[in-house]
Amino acid sequence: MNSTTTSTTTAPRTKVSTFVDDFMAQVEERNPHELEFHQAVREVVSSLVVVLQKHPEYKKARILDRMIEPERVIQFRVPWMSDNGEVNVNRGIRVEFSSAIGPYKGGLRFHPSVNLSILKFLGFEQVFKNSLTTLPIGGGKGGSNFDPKGKSDNEVMRFCQSFMSELYRHIGPNTDVPAGDIGVGGREIGYLFGQYKRLSNEFTGAITGKGFNWGGSRIRPEATGYGVVYFAAAMLETRGESLEGKACLVSGAGNVAQYAVEKITELGGKAITLSDTSGCIHDPDGISPEKLKWVMNLKNKRRGRIEEYVEQFPTAEFTGADPTLQTNPLWAINADCAFPCATQNEINEKDAEHLLANGVYLVTEGANMPTTPEAVDLLLDARTLYGPGKAANAGGVAVSALEMAQNSMRLTWSREEVDQRLQEIMRSIHTACAEAAETYGTPGNYMNGANIAGFCKVADAMLDQGLV
Ligand code: GLU
C-alpha cells in the first residue's frame, strides 16, 4: 500500500482514500510532472469510488485505467516567420482522448503556458463534459505554446497555416473536430479553417466556431457564457431563487466572460467585475450593455487591456495584478455569485475563504478547472451552490455539436432555435448532475454528479465496444 492518507475516520472512508491514493500513485508514476493532469484525474477518481463499488463490471474491464490513457497524442513542430523575417519554432499538440461516444471534439488553446499536462487535463475533462451534453461527441484537446498576444494579424495567420499544415491530416468531420479555446477565437478559426480547406480540398465541418457566413452556427460565440448562466439559474432555482438582483463577480474578459456578463444582466443580475493579465476592474454600478459593448470592442478588436475601462468609466476601480500576492483581490469583493471565467486554478483556498466571508454562495465555473481542490472542498463544506466547469461550461461545446449537425444537414437554424436547444441542454445537464449526485449519496454535490453522469455513459459505450 502506498497510502499517504492521514484520515482517522471509519474503515470505509480509509478504504476509499487508499483506493484513490493507490490509483493516483500509479497515475503519477506513469505521467511524471503532469500536475494539472493529476489534479483533474484525482477529482474524477474520488467521485467514482462509489460507482466502482456498485459496478464490478467497470472494474473488471479496467474502464478507469483505460479512460485515463489518451487514445492518441500527436506532437509536431510548428515553424513560422515573424514580420521582420525572424524564424520561430513552436510546439503543436493534439490529444485525442476518447472516441467512445463520437468523434474527438474539443478546442485548441494558444497560450505560452500550454504543455502536455495542460492539454491532457483539458482533454480528460472534455470527455466527461462532452458526455454530459447529451450529444454524440468524444473528447480531445490541442494547442500550442504560441502566444497570439502582441502578434500582427499576418503573423497569427502564418502561425495558424503552419499549425494546420500538420494537423489537417489527423482531423476531419467524422474523426476529430477542433474548435477555439483561450487564444483561439474567430480570427484564428478563420485562418485554421482556410488552410484546412485548402489542404484537404473539401469544405466540411471539420472545425467549429466558424463564421456564420461560412458554416458557423448562430449563438456559438455566446454559447459558453450563456450556458454558464443558464446553469447557475437552474442551481438557484433548486433554492427557489433567481439571478434577479444578485451581485456577480466575473473574472476574465474574453469570450466566456463577455457573454456571461451579457446573460447575467439579461436575467436581472448585476455583473460588477472583469479581469485580464493586467489586473481587475470593479464597477459597483454594474457592467451595463453599453459598457459591455465597449469592452467587446476593446478586447476583440483593439486587443487592449482591461485597465483602460476605468479611464472610460471613472466610477469603476482598477487593481493591478500583483504576482507576489497569494490571492486575487477580485474574489474579495462583496457579492452573491461568482463566475470564474479566466483560467485553471484561479481560485485558491484563500480566495475561497474570501468568497465565503464576503457573502458568495454560488460559484459557477465558466473556465475549465478554475478552482483548486482545497478551494472546492471549502465551498462544498459550506454548502455553496458549486457548478463545476465540465457541467456548467458545456454549452460551448454543445453548440459546437449543433454546428456539426447543421453542417451535416447543410442547413442553418435560427438564433431562437439554437438558443432554445442550448437552454434545454443546460437544463438536462443540471438534472443529470443533480440526479447522479442524489443516487450515489451526495445530494447537492454537482461535482460528484457531473463526474458520475459523465463517466457512466462513456463507460457503458466502452463495455459495448469491447477491448479497443
Ligand atoms: N474550448 C471549449 C471547451 O472547453 C469548446 C470546445 C468546442 O467547442 O469544441 O469546452
Side-chain angles (χ1 to χ4, degrees):
M1 292 283 158
N2 186 13
S3 170
T4 52
T5 181
T6 52
S7 170
T8 52
T9 48
T10 53
R13 167 107 193 129
T14 310
K15 231 168 127 188
V16 163
S17 309
T18 305
F19 169 78
V20 175
D21 287 336
D22 286 353
F23 189 88
M24 286 312 301
Q26 287 175 35
V27 173
E28 285 163 24
E29 198 185 336
R30 237 174 128 109
N31 308 277
H33 317 302
E34 296 179 0
L35 299 184
E36 294 82 4
F37 180 57
H38 302 165
Q39 184 182 333
V41 174
R42 180 180 282 275
E43 183 208 288
V44 168
V45 175
S46 306
S47 297
L48 291 180
V49 172
V50 280
V51 181
L52 297 177
Q53 279 165 352
K54 261 199 185 171
H55 292 276
E57 69 276 20
Y58 293 152
K59 262 194 155 163
K60 184 157 181 274
R62 296 192 61 188
I63 294 290
L64 204 50
D65 301 75
R66 286 155 63 193
M67 269 171 94
I68 57 157
E69 199 62 40
E71 287 178 19
R72 191 178 298 112
V73 178
I74 302 143
Q75 184 181 305
F76 48 98
R77 180 204 295 163
V78 190
W80 59 280
M81 195 168 276
S82 328
D83 290 341
N84 63 9
E86 226 169 73
V87 171
N88 299 271
V89 184
N90 285 98
R91 178 172 291 175
I93 302 176
R94 183 74 181 166
V95 180
E96 296 184 332
F97 227 109
S98 168
S99 62
I101 60 168
Y104 309 108
K105 180 84 197 87
L108 296 171
R109 177 176 289 193
F110 293 168
H111 191 269
S113 65
V114 164
N115 57 32
L116 188 58
S117 173
I118 298 273
L119 294 179
K120 277 176 70 180
F121 117 64
L122 289 165
F124 183 70
E125 294 259 309
Q126 199 81 44
V127 175
F128 297 83
K129 184 194 306 196
N130 294 4
S131 163
L132 286 169
T133 63
T134 71
L135 301 166
I137 39 178
K141 202 86 184 190
S144 173
N145 59 346
F146 172 75
D147 188 0
K149 212 186 297 157
K151 306 289 188 301
S152 72
D153 286 352
N154 278 330
E155 287 175 327
V156 170
M157 181 174 72
R158 283 196 294 276
F159 173 81
C160 288
Q161 291 178 340
S162 180
F163 185 89
M164 188 51 79
S165 295
E166 174 59 34
L167 188 67
Y168 90 98
R169 68 188 89 245
H170 306 287
I171 65 173
N174 299 312
T175 309
D176 184 354
V177 186
D181 196 80
I182 293 171
V184 179
R187 174 182 60 169
E188 290 76 15
I189 292 292
Y191 296 146
L192 289 163
F193 184 75
Q195 185 73 349
Y196 172 80
K197 179 167 63 77
R198 185 187 193 191
L199 293 170
S200 62
N201 192 30
E202 275 185 349
F203 196 115
T204 66
I207 300 181
T208 60
K210 300 186 288 299
F212 179 68
N213 290 334
W214 43 278
S217 174
R218 291 289 187 211
I219 305 281
R220 177 62 191 89
E222 295 90 337
T224 313
Y226 280 13
V228 169
V229 181
Y230 292 145
F231 194 89
M235 290 199 298
L236 284 166
E237 223 178 276
T238 63
R239 296 193 184 172
E241 292 185 44
S242 76
L243 274 159
E244 188 70 45
K246 301 278 190 305
C248 301
L249 307 175
V250 179
S251 65
N255 169 264
V256 183
Q258 291 170 14
Y259 288 105
V261 168
E262 185 167 292
K263 192 51 80 178
I264 288 167
T265 314
E266 235 179 88
L267 298 188
K270 187 157 88 167
I272 55 173
T273 62
L274 282 172
S275 66
D276 66 11
T277 47
S278 71
C280 63
I281 60 105
H282 175 203
D283 186 343
D285 297 338
I287 302 163
S288 63
E290 297 69 41
K291 292 175 181 172
L292 179 62
K293 204 167 152 205
W294 183 90
V295 171
M296 286 178 169
N297 186 55
L298 170 80
K299 297 308 284 185
N300 311 345
K301 300 258 164 24
R302 290 201 286 123
R303 299 182 192 273
R305 290 167 159 233
I306 200 68
E307 58 182 313
E308 288 183 40
Y309 186 97
V310 292
E311 289 157 28
Q312 189 71 17
F313 308 110
T315 52
E317 252 178 59
F318 172 74
T319 310
D322 180 353
T324 61
L325 274 183
Q326 301 297 307
T327 60
N328 182 346
L330 190 152
W331 305 125
I333 295 167
N334 267 314
D336 305 298
C337 307
F339 294 87
C341 297
T343 195
Q344 65 272 359
N345 292 329
E346 57 169 313
I347 297 181
N348 63 24
E349 200 174 359
K350 266 261 157 302
D351 294 319
E353 280 170 12
H354 290 158
L355 286 171
L356 294 171
N358 290 305
V360 169
Y361 65 96
L362 173 144
V363 177
T364 308
E365 298 180 340
N368 292 312
M369 206 170 75
T371 314
T372 65
E374 300 75 23
V376 173
D377 284 347
L378 273 185
L379 297 177
L380 290 175
D381 285 348
R383 304 201 62 77
T384 303
L385 288 168
Y386 168 66
K390 59 170 81 74
N393 74 32
V397 75
V399 173
S400 274
L402 299 182
E403 182 173 329
M404 290 163 71
Q406 293 169 81
N407 291 163
S408 300
M409 294 188 296
R410 301 189 192 282
L411 288 175
T412 50
W413 293 328
S414 67
R415 244 188 110 76
E416 292 68 33
E417 170 134 28
V418 180
D419 192 37
Q420 187 59 37
R421 285 176 191 265
L422 172 62
Q423 290 189 44
E424 279 162 19
I425 290 167
M426 294 317 296
R427 192 159 283 283
S428 67
I429 296 174
H430 177 268
T431 306
C433 295
E435 284 180 0
E438 175 104 38
T439 307
Y440 284 92
T442 50
N445 184 329
Y446 292 92
M447 179 188 77
N448 282 343
N451 290 333
I452 294 168
F455 170 82
C456 288
K457 185 173 167 188
V458 178
D460 290 339
M462 289 173 75
L463 285 181
D464 291 346
Q465 292 169 26
L467 192 51
V468 292

